[in-house]
Amino acid sequence: MSEVRLEGVVAGYGFGDVLRGIDLVAEQGKITCLIGPNGAGKSTVLRAVSGLLRPSRGSILLAGHEISGLSPRRLLDLGVVHVPQERSLFPLMTVWENLLMGGFVQRDRRHVQRRAEELAERFPLIAERRGERAGSLSGGEQKTVEIARALMLEPKVMLIDEPSIGLAPKARSDVFATLASLSDGGWTILLVEQNARSGLAVAHQGAVLDGGVVKLAGPAAELLANDEVGRLYLGVDHLAAAKV
């Protein structure tokens, strides 16, 4: 089991609390998309789950076991990986070398090579561009390699922060196609996405964060069709746009 559950989580930075009592469940084998305005606490949720931020109150459970307060390395050992918002590839290294870096903590190098070959089959971009420098890839291609690299350790939980930010429309489309392809992998995926409509479209479940709390949660399709969610977070004409 790899369900992630947050219960009454309070967390923040030096200037105060950003999360003010988050209750949230990310179910095993499903993509859960967090949407909401800037400053709502979406990325802070991911940092708390990945161990980059220690909650001051509340519990974070992985498969029913308390994990809040554990170090990022310990959480990595437990199968929790974090794909950050910022570009994180090594631009002067090849695509293949960047992929192998995802297995850096593994001692069995033959297993790392086998895992990389498996991922090259799953993501044709890697097989096609493996010898090229990562810095030569487009933004969307780089994000795809980052996601593949996160899969090198065969994680249970993937935390993906704003994967489409700063990308051109075609690149965004490619990234969302990559995310959609993950839905059959059995991973628990917690996704933060500024493009709320596209994020919910690839997700099974969704949650609306505002003011550091979950205002609304449910099936992603229902949130997409919700008039209030549409008016506040998807744009006034979201239903009309969805029919185009």
Side-chain angles (χ1 to χ4, degrees):
M1 292 288 291
S2 59
E3 176 187 89
V4 175
R5 182 179 295 268
L6 287 77
E7 299 177 345
V9 172
V10 176
Y13 309 96
F15 51 82
D17 292 329
V18 176
L19 306 183
R20 298 184 173 92
I22 288 284
D23 295 306
L24 178 70
V25 177
E27 297 180 34
Q28 179 179 353
K30 294 185 177 180
I31 300 175
T32 300
C33 181
L34 305 184
I35 66 170
N38 290 336
K42 304 183 298 297
S43 294
T44 303
V45 168
L46 300 192
R47 294 188 186 105
V49 174
S50 69
L52 295 175
L53 180 65
R54 182 186 293 267
S56 59
R57 291 197 299 278
S59 294
I60 303 175
L61 306 173
L62 172 61
H65 300 285
E66 181 70 60
I67 62 170
S68 56
L70 296 181
S71 69
R73 174 55 197 270
R74 176 61 181 140
L75 287 165
L76 189 63
D77 291 340
L78 292 174
V80 179
V81 299
H82 191 165
V83 181
Q85 179 185 129
E86 301 81 11
R87 301 274 173 84
S88 60
L89 295 185
F90 300 95
L92 298 183
M93 294 171 62
T94 67
V95 169
W96 191 251
E97 289 167 339
N98 270 277
L99 181 66
L100 292 177
M101 286 297 293
F104 181 76
V105 298
Q106 285 276 3
R107 294 183 179 181
D108 187 341
R109 305 319 296 174
R110 285 183 295 181
H111 177 75
V112 171
Q113 287 288 339
R114 286 196 301 269
R115 181 61 177 160
E117 294 291 351
E118 292 171 1
L119 290 169
E121 290 185 14
R122 185 181 183 97
F123 299 95
L125 166 70
I126 292 173
E128 296 166 1
R129 309 284 295 275
R130 61 186 292 162
E132 299 180 29
R133 287 186 176 182
S136 70
L137 302 182
S138 69
E141 290 169 338
Q142 289 189 38
K143 185 57 67 175
T144 295
V145 176
E146 289 176 18
I147 292 171
R149 185 175 63 184
L151 293 171
M152 280 291 293
L153 293 178
E154 303 176 71
K156 298 176 181 177
V157 178
M158 296 186 68
L159 311 171
I160 305 178
D161 195 1
E162 300 275 19
S164 76
I165 193 167
L167 299 182
K170 175 60 167 64
R172 285 200 302 269
S173 177
D174 291 343
V175 167
F176 284 118
T178 297
L179 293 175
S181 75
L182 298 178
S183 63
D184 64 351
W187 300 287
T188 300
I189 298 175
L190 194 53
L191 167 68
V192 167
E193 180 48 53
Q194 60 165 354
N195 189 323
R197 184 179 294 110
S198 296
L200 290 174
V202 300
H204 302 94
Q205 302 287 325
V208 179
L209 271 64
D210 205 343
V213 297
V214 174
K215 294 289 188 180
L216 189 64
E222 291 184 9
L223 294 183
L224 273 172
N226 183 293
D227 287 338
E228 182 179 5
V229 172
R231 178 175 58 83
L232 294 175
Y233 307 109
L234 305 179
V236 175
D237 297 326
H238 78 293
L239 291 178
K243 296 176 182 178
V244 174

